[in-house]
Amino acid sequence: MACYLYNNQGYVCGGCCHFVRSTSVTLTGTVLSITIPEQRLRNHERVCICIAQSIPEGINENTTVAIVLGTQTINVITRCGNLLYADQIRSRQILKLFAATDLPYFVTAKDCKLCKTRHTFPVIPVATTSATTSVDGNINAIPTTSDIKKGSGK
């Protein structure tokens, strides 16, 4: 028996056996939840989710996407590690993902075509260090009360 019969009721989506249709798409707070039929997924297993329902009104560039699998709600991240935002997907789109079971997350596949987001990503601040002045007046020099022994190399 071909594997596509399990998830797609006998219809072939490009011959992929991991094709799944969403059963609902809901907006709760700032999370767009896409529900799929419960199934067991292994690490790095591909899942192609067809967003079969309309995306509800009220999403914006700060709305994240999560997949509901049974009782678990699992975040979706892009290949570079950012969260997937709802303005990057469309209804009737096939969302190509891989399961990451240790976190757990779903990660977008290389061939997943996403729209550009309007989300403003935060900037990692530069760490600031305060300069210390030693007894000799040298900035950032090791103070004379240091535990480092002269010539020890530590």
Side-chain angles (χ1 to χ4, degrees):
M1 180 188 292
C3 66
Y4 64 82
L5 294 176
Y6 293 118
N7 290 333
N8 200 11
Q9 291 81 37
Y11 297 99
V12 179
C13 173
C16 180
C17 63
H18 301 289
F19 180 84
V20 184
R21 285 191 191 115
S22 63
T23 56
S24 71
V25 177
T26 57
L27 179 62
T28 307
T30 60
V31 178
L32 180 70
S33 298
I34 302 171
T35 305
I36 62 172
E38 194 168 353
Q39 56 189 300
R40 183 177 177 193
L41 296 171
R42 291 188 170 85
N43 192 47
H44 204 259
E45 186 171 348
R46 188 177 185 118
V47 181
C48 298
I49 301 172
C50 175
I51 304 171
Q53 293 77 22
S54 296
I55 294 176
E57 295 289 324
I59 66 158
N60 59 37
E61 64 274 3
N62 296 317
T63 306
T64 59
V65 176
I67 305 298
V68 178
L69 184 61
T71 59
Q72 264 190 313
T73 301
I74 304 168
N75 286 325
V76 181
I77 60 174
T78 62
R79 291 182 61 228
C80 65
N82 292 321
L83 290 169
L84 180 66
Y85 292 94
D87 65 345
Q88 292 181 273
I89 62 172
R90 300 288 177 255
S91 185
R92 310 297 183 251
Q93 175 183 13
I94 296 179
L95 197 54
K96 298 176 181 181
L97 308 172
F98 285 100
T101 57
D102 59 343
L103 299 174
Y105 279 112
F106 281 103
V107 182
T108 57
K110 184 178 182 179
D111 57 345
C112 184
K113 300 203 183 331
L114 300 173
C115 301
K116 190 170 183 143
T117 183
R118 294 183 322 265
H119 178 73
T120 304
F121 292 95
V123 177
I124 299 173
V126 176
T128 58
T129 58
S130 60
T132 58
T133 306
S134 72
V135 180
D136 300 333
N138 294 330
I139 294 179
N140 294 331
I142 298 171
T144 55
T145 58
S146 171
D147 292 339
I148 301 175
K149 295 179 181 161
K150 193 173 190 177
S152 68
K154 295 184 181 180

